């Protein structure tokens, strides 16, 4: 039997696998497992040449194409294998078969020495061909060519020399026209880099160094078409950096003291410039190169490099003068975030590579970094850790700077001893000022890391900061307040979700020490909390601030002055906001709302008086609420829904606070606060909006507002809102639905007579508004309140109509939205039925909807229809609702005690078709 | 029992079988309504035919198989129905389907699926066993 052909040839499949391994583990590791037997060399070479010259017809995606025998993975792996085989210790001349030496190679600029062995002559065209390709083969072709040139026997024949001349002439050809593909130049540059790296411990390349450097520097700074073309590729720029870095490293080894220093200096200048490159790989290469070179420099020069980097960090940093007596504020809006990434990364690499200074007390330069400059570096890292910029689109573009700073602190913690770090004067660090002068550098770093780990907007920064924190505390024991507990709290896995990090991790960390509490509070007020561009992140941050205040309220003698100070601080920040900063205003007002201490336990019924601190705090809250709502009434802001939501939230919490007081006290405070008029007017404005967030907050405010009013005003407010429910202009759907929610929310607090009217309002709105949004709103408002608890019999008609809504339009079955809400409402009224009291129809209160089978059927019959209908989400809700109408097991009429085991087994056998009734009987036992 | 039903997937065979069983067994919480069990069968089938004809593939499959399984029970349900006219689940389903079709004669949204389900029951050989004329 003929076996099926493989999907791929076996060799292709193997090479694909090997390539994957290379990608994961690195080609240098994988290549070691390939066979080193010299006899394979010519075999592979021949196979390669055959595969390379022959084409095969193949069907690709249904189209017949002429393709090469081998795929790129095969070529990549084979070139890699060839380069590995070139490690053979025998001269290539001895392993070349006879009769192959007469190959002629015609490559422009390449003047080959005479008497090259056959293998070499066959390898060269292959390697050069693939050195200029765009694919992955370029890497292995480079490795092959480098290995070939660096062989002792080939060098003796002069092959290295001719290839260097070829490479340089290819780069110099640049007579104004870029006639070759960019990959040609990238290949040559990477070849030069490879040669230099592999010769870095020998003197083989010394005579070429200056020559190569001049050529490559020409590419970097000369203005001509070819060089501009080469420079336009990030990969090419990265390779030039690698070349000049290696040249400098060889020079600094001390072999060439004469011309060397000039080369090194211009290299450093190039690298400093490349730190601001637009492409991340180039910046990464430049910063790494800079740290490698600095490591080898004389101490004086090394410290100059460090200073140059630190100086660049000061460029374009503006200082805002907020007024007399206050410290100026750093303004980073003018700096280039890319450059900052490069600079901070360089500092981090320097810290990572630096062996620790041997002594620090005599303050000489030690390995380039003195303790003063170390403190400057730390200063820069701390600024970098909270660096943030927003692009014109509003997205964050400072993340990589913070990432680099995390790396730097992590490296610092690993490379320096506790003693060295404790010697760094914390007082000289500008960014550490706010932590107070008494803290050590280590403590300042740890505090900042806690803040980053629990508040940062980017997940990888939170995790990076957490990892750095663990390193810092682990390597420097007993220097951080509550160190072990901090590590356990700010755990790498725990900070993954931002909302959890802010509302749980940050609060637990704050509980450990006041230092952390203060730092977290400060940071929550900034861009990492209330200033976030995302509204839900601001809500979470406000919740976090509320959590911080709960820690104060939990203390036995409540520090009201501290709570007041928190509110005043936010109020001050609010006062300096510009009108366009609505997002910040939203966050700040929400955070004041979160600070209103309604969670505090109150035992006022006995005392009837407030203690002084509490009273002044309450008064401050009323004053702030009044000011903010007055302002919100007057000003028209850019995004009114955010302002409405936050101010309504504040009102709701303030009135809740008021409502908790005993009656006389409440009256007294309410009259004094004089909030009622502005609140009523503002609630009215907010309820007219259509955004659900606003309506939720405003109807909650309405609820507590009504609660605090005297009965007369309660019914007049209800009347106003009922009237407003019908303020509808034609043409738009879902208008004034906020008032429905407000009426429903405050329903419990209205006088009895008003309650009936409110129900009528609901029915009337239901009947007059044909649009889906209004119908959904009526049902949702009813479900969210206690209106169905007492007045279900009146509203049964509305619900049963809702269950029948099969409206369809261009959007499809939009009636299903109404049906879902109606099913939920039905579930609610069913759950309110006092079914254990209903023995028979005559006994309980007459007129209840569930007593009459017909009325009951208007709900139940429709529910059971919806329980079988085709839309999954409707069916699911109806399923839960029918369950409400069904017995619990308690109602099984059989006495459970006679249900012996025998009966049980009979049941199983008899009703195996009906698993559910059986289980219900069992659970009744 | 409530928890068991709550945990049923609402697209499963068991769920639909339970719904049909609701018609012939006393499940309601309200003792005074329990002899009305089958009173709302018409409405159940109005919904049921939508699932059994216009639902998604697996919904059609599970609801139809539950319908057939229900009809194939050899069980006297005349007591639960308080109606001597039909005594088997098949009779009950067939007559209810007929009622659904009659009631919705002008409402295509229900009429078409009801007829489709009837034709399916004919294919399955169930309609033929019915004693309804």
């Amino acid at each position: 039997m003929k076996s099926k052909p493989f999907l791929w040839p076996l060799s292709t499949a193997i090479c694909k696998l090997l390539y994957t391994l290379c990608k994961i583990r690195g080609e240098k590791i994988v290549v070691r497992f390939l066979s080193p037997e010299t006899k394979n060399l010519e075999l592979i070479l021949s196979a390669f040449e055959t595969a390379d010259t022959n084409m095969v017809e193949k069907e690709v995606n249904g189209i017949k194409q002429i393709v090469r025998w081998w795929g790129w993975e095969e070529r990549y792996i084979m070139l890699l294998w060839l380069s590995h085989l070139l490690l053979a210790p025998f001269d290539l001349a001895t392993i070349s078969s006879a009769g192959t030496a007469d190959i002629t190679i015609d490559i422009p600029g390449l003047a080959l020495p005479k008497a090259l062995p056959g293998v070499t002559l066959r390898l060269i065209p292959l390697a050069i061909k693939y050195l200029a390709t765009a694919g992955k083969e370029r890497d292995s072709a480079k490795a092959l060519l480098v290995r070939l040139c660096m062989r002792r026997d080939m060098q003796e024949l002069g092959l290295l020399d001719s290839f260097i001349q070829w490479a340089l002439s290819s780069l110099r050809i640049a007579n104004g026209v870029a006639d070759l593909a960019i990959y040609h130049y990238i290949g040559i540059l990477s070849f030069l880099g490879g040669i230099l790296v592999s010769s870095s411990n020998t003197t083989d390349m010394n005579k070429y160094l200056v020559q190569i450097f001049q050529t490559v520097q020409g590419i970097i700074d000369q203005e001509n078409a070819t060089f501009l073309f080469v420079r336009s590729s990030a990969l090419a720029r990265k390779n030039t950096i690698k070349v000049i870095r290696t040249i400098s490293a060889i020079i600094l080894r001390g072999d060439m003291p004469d011309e060397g220093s000039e080369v090194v200096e211009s290299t450093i200048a190039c690298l400093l410039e490349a730190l601001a490159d637009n492409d991340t790989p180039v910046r990464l290469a430049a910063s790494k190169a800079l740290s490698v070179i600095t490591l080898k420099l004389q101490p004086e020069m090394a410290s100059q490099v460090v200073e140059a980097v630190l100086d660049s960090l000061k460029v374009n940093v503006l200082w805002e003068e907020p007024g007399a007596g206050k410290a100026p504020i750093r303004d980073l809006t003018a700096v280039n975030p890319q450059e900052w990434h490069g600079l901070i990364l360089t500092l981090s690499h320097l810290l990572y590579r630096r062996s620790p200074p041997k002594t620090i007390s005599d303050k000489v330069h030690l390995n380039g970094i003195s303790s003063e400059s170390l403190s400057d570096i730390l200063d820069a890292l701390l600024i970098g850790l909270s660096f943030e910029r927003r692009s014109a689109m509003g997205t964050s573009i400072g993340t990589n700077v913070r990432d680099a700073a995390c790396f730097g602190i992590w490296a610092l913690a690993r490379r320096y001893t506790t003693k060295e770090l404790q010697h760094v004067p914390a007082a000289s660090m500008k960014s550490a000022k706010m932590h107070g002068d008494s803290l050590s550098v280590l403590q300042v770093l740890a505090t900042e890391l806690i803040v980053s780990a629990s508040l940062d907007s980017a997940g990888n920064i939170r995790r990076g900061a957490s990892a750095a924190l663990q390193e810092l505390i682990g390597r420097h024991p007993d220097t951080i307040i509550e160190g072990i507990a901090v590590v356990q709290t700010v755990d790498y896995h725990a900070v993954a979700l931002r909302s959890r990090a802010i509302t749980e991790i940050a609060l637990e960390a704050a509980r450990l020490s006041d230092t952390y509490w203060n730092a977290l509070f400060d940071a929550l007020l900034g861009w990492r909390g209330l200033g976030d561009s995302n509204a839900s992140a601001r809500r979470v941050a406000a919740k976090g601030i509320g959590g911080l205040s709960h820690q104060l309220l939990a203390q036995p003698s409540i520090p009201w002055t501290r709570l007041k100070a928190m509110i005043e601080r936010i109020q001050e920040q609010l006062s300096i906001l510009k009108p366009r900063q609505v997002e910040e205003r939203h966050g700040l007002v929400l955070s004041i709302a979160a600070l209103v201490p309604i969670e505090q336990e109150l035992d006022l019924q006995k005392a009837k008086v407030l203690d002084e601190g509490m009273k002044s705090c309450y008064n401050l809250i009323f004053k702030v609420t009044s000011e903010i709502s007055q302002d919100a009434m007057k000003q028209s802001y850019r995004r009114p829904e955010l302002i409405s939501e936050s101010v309504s939230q504040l009102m709701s919490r303030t009135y809740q606070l008021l409502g908790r007081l005993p009656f006389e006290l409440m009256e007294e405070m309410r009259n004094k606060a004089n909030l009622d008029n502005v609140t009523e007017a503002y609630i009215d404005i907010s309820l007219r909006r259509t955004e659900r967030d606003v309506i939720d907050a405003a109807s909650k405010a309405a609820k507590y507002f009504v609660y605090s009013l005297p009965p007369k005003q309660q019914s007049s407010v209800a009347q106003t809102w009922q009237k407003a429910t019908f303020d509808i202009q034609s043409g738009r759907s879902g208008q004034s639905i906020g008032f429905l929610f407000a009426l429903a929310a405050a329903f419990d607090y209205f006088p009895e007579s008003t309650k009936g009217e409110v129900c009528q309002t609901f029915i009337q709105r239901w009947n007059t508004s044909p649009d889906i949004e209004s119908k959904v709103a009526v049902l949702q408002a009813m479900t969210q309140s206690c209106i169905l608890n007492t007045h279900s019999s009146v509203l049964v008609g509305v619900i049963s109509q809702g269950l029948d809504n099969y409206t369809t339009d261009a959007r499809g079955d939009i009636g299903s939205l109404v049906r879902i809400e109606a099913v939920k409402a039905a579930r609610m009224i069913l759950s309110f039925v006092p079914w254990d009291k209903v023995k028979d129809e005559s006994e309980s209160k007459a007129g209840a909807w569930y007593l009459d089978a017909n009325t009951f059927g208007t709900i139940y019959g429709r529910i059971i229809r919806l329980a079988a209908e085709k839309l999954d989400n409707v069916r699911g809700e109806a399923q839960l609702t029918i369950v409400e109408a069904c017995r619990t097991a308690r109602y099984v009429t059989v006495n459970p005690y006679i249900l012996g085991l025998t009966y049980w087994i009979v049941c199983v056998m008899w009703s195996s078709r009906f698993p559910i009734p059986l289980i219900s009987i069992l659970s009744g036992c | 029992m409530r928890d068991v039903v709550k945990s049923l997937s609402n697209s499963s065979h068991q769920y639909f079988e339970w719904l049909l069983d609701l018609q012939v067994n006393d499940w309601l919480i309200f003792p005074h309504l329990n002899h009305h069990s089958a009173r709302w069968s018409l409405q159940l089938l109005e919904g049921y035919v939508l699932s059994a004809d216009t639902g998604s593939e697996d919904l059609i499959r599970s609801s139809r198989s539950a319908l057939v399984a229900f009809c194939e029970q050899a069980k006297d349900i005349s007591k639960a129905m308080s109606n001597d006219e039909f005594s088997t689940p098949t009779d009950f389903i067939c007559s209810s389907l007929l009622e659904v079709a009659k009631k919705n004669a002008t409402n295509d949204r229900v009429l078409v699926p009801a007829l489709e389900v009837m034709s399916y029951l004919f294919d399955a050989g169930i309609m033929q066993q019915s004693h309804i004329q």
Side-chain angles (χ1 to χ4, degrees):
Chain A
M1 206 175 99
K2 204 182 151 192
S3 65
K4 264 188 177 175
F6 291 123
L7 201 57
W8 286 315
L10 189 60
S11 61
T12 313
I14 292 173
C15 290
K16 274 177 190 285
L17 279 176
L18 283 175
Y19 163 69
T20 311
L21 292 176
C22 287
K23 202 160 86 171
I24 298 164
R25 194 59 189 89
E27 57 186 37
K28 282 178 191 157
I29 303 291
V30 174
V31 81
R32 287 190 215 145
F33 296 99
L34 300 177
S35 159
E37 284 200 56
T38 319
K39 67 174 183 200
N40 292 334
L41 185 57
E42 283 205 312
L43 287 176
I44 296 174
L45 200 49
S46 306
F48 207 131
E49 282 164 350
T50 327
D52 216 31
T53 45
N54 290 313
M55 300 302 233
V56 63
E57 196 174 292
K58 221 184 194 176
E59 203 167 308
V60 182
N61 297 332
I63 306 156
K64 287 209 169 165
Q65 285 181 352
I66 307 281
V67 293
R68 269 184 281 206
W69 271 18
W70 283 359
W72 64 267
E73 289 101 339
E74 281 167 293
R75 298 195 295 273
Y76 169 67
I77 295 294
M78 287 306 161
L79 285 168
L80 212 55
W81 197 356
L82 283 174
S83 77
H84 186 55
L85 289 170
L86 283 181
L87 285 176
F90 324 107
D91 281 0
L92 289 181
T94 63
I95 44 179
S96 300
S97 315
T100 48
D102 54 350
I103 301 167
T104 49
I105 299 169
D106 184 26
I107 289 164
L110 182 61
L112 286 175
K114 295 210 167 49
L116 284 176
V119 172
T120 312
L121 288 172
R122 288 166 68 191
L123 282 171
I124 288 170
L126 270 185
I128 286 184
K129 179 178 173 191
Y130 287 107
L131 190 65
T133 55
K136 187 76 184 151
E137 306 100 305
R138 193 179 60 241
D139 289 352
S140 53
K142 178 200 88 179
L144 174 64
L145 208 54
V146 167
R147 182 118 333 133
L148 185 68
C149 293
M150 294 309 286
R151 280 184 63 94
R152 188 52 50 199
D153 55 339
M154 291 298 116
Q155 280 198 39
E156 276 164 13
L157 286 171
L159 191 70
L160 177 63
D161 184 59
S162 61
F163 263 99
I164 298 284
Q165 295 312 332
W166 165 74
L168 292 177
S169 69
S170 307
L171 291 177
R172 274 195 211 117
I173 283 176
N175 36 8
V177 196
D179 52 347
L180 289 161
I182 187 73
Y183 296 104
H184 175 77
Y185 298 103
I186 293 173
I188 287 172
L189 283 168
S190 73
F191 165 69
L192 283 176
I195 288 274
L196 286 163
V197 169
S198 68
S199 71
S200 60
N201 290 322
T202 65
T203 52
D204 298 339
M205 290 294 289
N206 281 9
K207 52 188 167 181
Y208 306 113
L209 288 180
V210 177
Q211 218 181 346
I212 297 176
F213 182 79
Q214 280 163 356
T215 313
V216 172
Q217 205 191 19
I219 294 180
I220 293 174
D221 53 23
Q222 273 176 28
E223 297 290 324
N224 84 38
T226 313
F227 290 165
L228 283 175
F229 172 63
V230 174
R231 269 210 302 271
S232 70
S233 153
L235 206 50
R237 293 202 297 278
K238 189 183 149 188
N239 278 310
T240 53
I241 286 176
K242 197 174 171 194
V243 172
I244 59 174
R245 177 194 100 188
T246 322
I247 292 175
S248 290
I250 295 175
I251 289 172
L252 287 172
R253 215 174 44 204
D255 294 348
M256 308 171 62
D258 316 333
E259 319 91 308
S261 62
E262 200 181 314
V263 170
V264 173
E265 270 169 35
S266 45
T267 302
I268 291 174
C270 284
L271 292 177
L272 284 172
E273 207 168 304
L275 287 179
D277 198 283
N278 273 332
D279 288 284
T280 310
V282 182
R283 293 199 299 276
L284 294 179
S287 59
K288 190 176 164 191
L290 211 47
S291 73
V292 169
I293 293 174
T294 312
L295 184 63
K296 297 193 166 116
L297 287 175
Q298 296 293 313
E300 294 81 22
M301 262 186 95
S303 68
Q304 277 173 20
V305 173
V306 175
E307 267 163 39
V309 173
L310 288 171
D311 282 344
S312 306
L313 281 172
K314 289 183 187 128
V315 174
N316 281 337
V317 174
L318 309 172
W319 290 89
E320 223 173 87
E321 300 287 343
K326 285 178 186 161
I329 302 165
R330 187 186 282 106
D331 179 6
L332 294 176
T333 46
V335 303
N336 173 2
Q338 263 110 19
E339 186 181 1
W340 266 61
H341 175 226
L343 293 168
I344 298 278
L345 196 62
T346 309
L347 293 178
S348 304
H349 268 299
L350 283 171
L351 291 174
Y352 180 67
R353 271 163 221 285
R354 191 77 359 165
S355 49
K358 284 167 200 86
T359 54
I360 206 125
S361 50
D362 50 355
K363 292 198 176 167
V364 288
H365 294 296
L366 297 147
N367 282 341
I369 298 187
S370 67
S371 60
E372 281 93 0
S373 69
L374 193 59
S375 107
D376 285 344
I377 291 177
L378 288 180
D379 200 19
L381 287 180
L382 286 179
I383 302 167
L385 193 60
S386 59
F387 183 90
E388 170 66 353
R389 282 283 299 281
R390 289 203 196 132
S391 70
M393 301 291 290
T395 49
S396 161
I397 43 168
T399 315
N400 50 8
V401 179
R402 303 201 293 279
D403 189 53
C406 282
F407 168 53
I409 298 176
W410 176 84
L412 179 89
R414 289 174 73 90
R415 295 286 184 248
Y416 291 78
T417 64
T418 312
K419 210 174 149 199
E420 285 159 355
L421 289 174
Q422 276 172 336
H423 266 92
V424 176
S428 67
M429 290 159 62
K430 283 189 203 114
S431 54
K433 273 284 189 310
M434 55 182 240
H435 295 286
D437 292 338
S438 55
L439 295 174
S440 72
V441 169
L442 282 164
Q443 182 60 55
V444 172
L445 285 173
T447 312
E448 286 293 318
L449 284 175
I450 291 174
V451 169
S452 274
S454 48
L455 303 185
D456 202 286
S457 52
N460 61 334
I461 304 300
R462 289 197 300 279
R463 295 195 137 177
S466 168
L469 183 68
Q470 198 178 354
E471 202 71 34
L472 186 74
I473 294 175
R475 297 207 181 236
H476 307 283
D478 301 328
T479 53
I480 311 297
I481 307 170
E482 299 285 344
I484 302 294
V486 166
V487 171
Q488 283 165 347
T489 307
V490 191
D491 176 67
Y492 183 80
H493 298 287
V495 297
L497 192 65
R498 190 175 183 204
S499 57
R500 183 174 172 214
I502 293 182
T503 53
E504 288 178 32
I505 309 302
L507 296 184
E508 276 174 49
R511 197 169 286 132
L512 293 174
S513 153
D514 266 359
T515 312
Y516 305 146
W517 193 97
N518 288 326
L520 285 164
F521 179 56
D522 283 339
L524 273 172
L525 293 181
W527 65 268
R528 281 181 282 201
L530 302 175
D532 202 289
S533 56
N534 181 344
S536 54
R538 291 195 296 272
R539 290 184 195 116
V540 172
K543 208 174 151 197
I545 288 190
L548 288 178
S549 77
H550 295 169
Q551 292 182 0
L552 296 181
L553 296 175
Q555 291 174 19
S557 67
I558 296 167
W560 290 107
T561 44
R562 273 182 77 183
L563 187 63
K564 261 180 86 176
M566 282 171 93
I567 298 174
E568 275 160 359
R569 173 103 186 266
I570 297 173
Q571 202 189 359
E572 190 193 321
Q573 211 166 329
L574 205 54
S575 66
I576 56 169
L577 280 188
K578 298 182 181 77
R580 65 177 161 76
Q581 292 172 295
V582 229
E583 281 84 4
E584 284 85 347
R585 188 173 293 273
H586 174 241
L588 290 169
V589 175
L590 277 181
S591 71
I592 295 186
L595 287 178
V596 175
I598 52 169
E599 278 84 2
Q600 177 219 353
E601 274 183 38
L602 207 55
D603 194 15
L604 287 169
Q605 301 301 340
K606 272 186 258 162
K608 303 239 172 190
V609 273
L610 302 173
D611 73 59
E612 271 314 303
M614 192 171 176
K615 197 168 182 177
S616 71
C617 189
Y618 276 36
N619 281 328
L620 175 66
I621 289 169
F622 296 138
K623 192 173 134 252
V624 172
T625 310
S626 159
E627 280 172 16
I628 290 176
S629 19
Q630 305 270 9
D631 170 76
M633 290 284 289
K634 264 186 279 166
Q635 289 260 18
S636 61
Y637 286 107
R638 188 162 52 86
R639 293 181 62 189
E641 74 277 8
L642 290 179
I643 301 296
S644 274
E645 182 211 332
S646 56
V647 175
S648 301
Q649 176 78 9
L650 177 62
M651 284 174 170
S652 133
R653 306 260 308 182
T654 306
Y655 270 92
Q656 215 174 333
L657 186 76
L658 202 58
R660 283 152 34 101
L661 298 175
F663 186 72
E664 297 84 36
L665 209 54
M666 178 173 92
E667 281 295 283
E668 182 199 326
M669 288 228 141
R670 198 170 61 88
N671 290 332
K672 205 169 140 202
N674 196 17
L675 264 173
D676 292 351
N677 289 335
V678 66
T679 306
E680 193 181 343
Y682 197 77
I683 287 177
D684 193 270
I685 294 175
S686 302
L687 289 175
R688 280 172 205 277
R689 303 207 61 83
T690 47
E691 295 88 357
R692 196 41 72 85
D693 283 333
V694 179
I695 291 178
D696 283 350
S699 57
K700 222 170 141 198
K703 174 179 169 184
Y704 295 110
F705 173 62
V706 169
Y707 176 71
S708 78
L709 290 176
K712 241 191 203 161
Q713 288 185 37
Q714 283 175 339
S715 48
S716 82
V717 165
Q719 270 163 14
T720 320
W721 288 347
Q722 286 177 57
K723 237 171 116 193
T725 311
F726 298 102
D727 281 356
I728 304 168
Q729 286 132 26
S730 59
R732 280 167 50 210
S733 58
Q735 289 178 71
S736 302
I737 56 171
F739 293 101
L740 291 171
F741 284 92
L743 287 169
F747 189 76
D748 230 12
Y749 305 135
F750 289 135
E752 269 317 309
S753 57
T754 312
K755 285 185 181 176
E757 290 168 21
V758 171
C759 287
Q760 288 310 316
T761 306
F762 272 84
I763 295 170
Q764 207 181 335
R765 174 79 201 242
W766 175 268
N767 291 333
T768 51
S769 297
D771 58 300
I772 295 295
E773 283 80 5
S774 300
K775 297 212 182 279
V776 168
V778 169
L779 290 165
Q780 273 182 344
M782 293 193 316
T783 320
Q784 280 171 17
S785 74
C786 46
I787 189 165
L788 290 174
N789 195 349
T790 48
H791 289 69
S792 51
S793 297
V794 187
L795 297 165
V796 159
V798 168
I799 297 174
S800 75
Q801 281 178 33
L803 294 169
D804 271 346
N805 197 318
Y806 282 96
T807 315
T808 51
D809 73 351
R811 284 189 286 162
D813 185 4
I814 50 168
S816 69
L817 299 172
V818 181
R819 295 205 297 282
I820 288 177
E821 294 306 326
V823 172
K824 284 182 187 163
R827 180 151 80 235
M828 199 151 187
I829 59 173
L830 281 170
S831 71
F832 284 140
V833 172
W835 46 267
D836 47 348
K837 290 190 189 130
V838 185
K839 289 291 186 299
D840 62 73
E841 293 177 39
S842 58
E843 244 180 57
S844 197
K845 54 175 177 179
W849 66 277
Y850 46 86
L851 290 180
D852 174 40
N854 282 326
T855 327
F856 177 78
T858 58
I859 297 293
Y860 178 74
R862 288 173 167 86
I863 295 288
I864 201 161
R865 185 188 66 219
L866 295 176
E869 85 142 59
K870 66 170 172 175
L871 286 182
D872 283 356
N873 39 8
V874 181
R875 210 165 57 244
E877 292 293 339
Q879 175 187 16
L880 298 178
T881 307
I882 297 193
V883 171
E884 281 297 335
C886 287
R887 290 186 302 230
T888 53
R890 271 186 284 168
Y891 254 56
V892 173
T893 43
V894 186
N895 183 343
Y897 296 107
I898 59 168
L899 286 173
L901 189 63
T902 334
Y903 183 58
W904 201 86
I905 293 168
V906 171
C907 284
V908 173
M909 297 170 77
W910 167 67
S911 67
S912 57
R913 305 268 322 255
F914 279 100
I916 305 108
L918 173 70
I919 295 166
S920 73
I921 292 167
L922 293 184
S923 56
C925 299
Chain B
M1 134 81 200
R2 288 185 171 194
D3 296 336
V4 176
V5 177
K6 270 186 195 170
S7 64
L8 279 181
S9 152
N10 60 32
S11 304
S12 64
H13 174 95
Q14 284 93 338
Y15 172 72
F16 282 100
E17 214 170 339
W18 172 73
L19 278 179
L20 292 166
D21 189 54
L22 271 178
Q23 310 308 308
V24 294
N25 278 323
D26 290 349
W27 281 112
L28 289 179
I29 208 169
F30 315 105
H32 68 284
L33 291 172
N34 258 330
H35 53 274
H36 294 298
S37 288
R39 187 170 176 159
W40 300 290
S41 305
L42 202 63
Q43 276 161 311
L44 170 71
L45 281 169
E46 276 180 354
Y48 204 106
V49 293
L50 294 182
S51 285
D53 182 52
T54 57
S56 63
E57 186 67 21
D58 54 340
L59 193 61
I60 292 179
R61 206 171 293 140
S62 57
S63 58
R64 286 186 175 188
S65 72
L67 194 61
V68 171
F70 178 76
C71 289
E72 283 177 347
Q73 305 172 86
K75 202 171 158 191
D76 188 354
I77 57 163
S78 55
K79 204 173 142 206
M81 292 284 123
S82 58
N83 187 341
D84 298 334
E85 220 178 287
F86 40 84
S87 57
T88 63
T90 311
D91 286 350
F92 163 60
I93 293 294
C94 294
S95 72
S96 305
L97 272 178
L98 202 60
E99 287 299 314
V100 167
K102 274 186 199 161
K103 186 182 157 197
N104 292 288
T106 55
N107 182 2
D108 285 356
R109 191 175 59 79
V110 181
L111 180 66
V112 175
L115 294 175
E116 286 288 346
V117 171
M118 278 187 207
S119 86
Y120 167 74
L121 288 180
F122 270 116
D123 291 346
I126 285 173
M127 274 288 189
Q128 289 87 332
Q129 295 165 21
S130 159
H131 302 97
I132 310 285
Q133 293 307 306

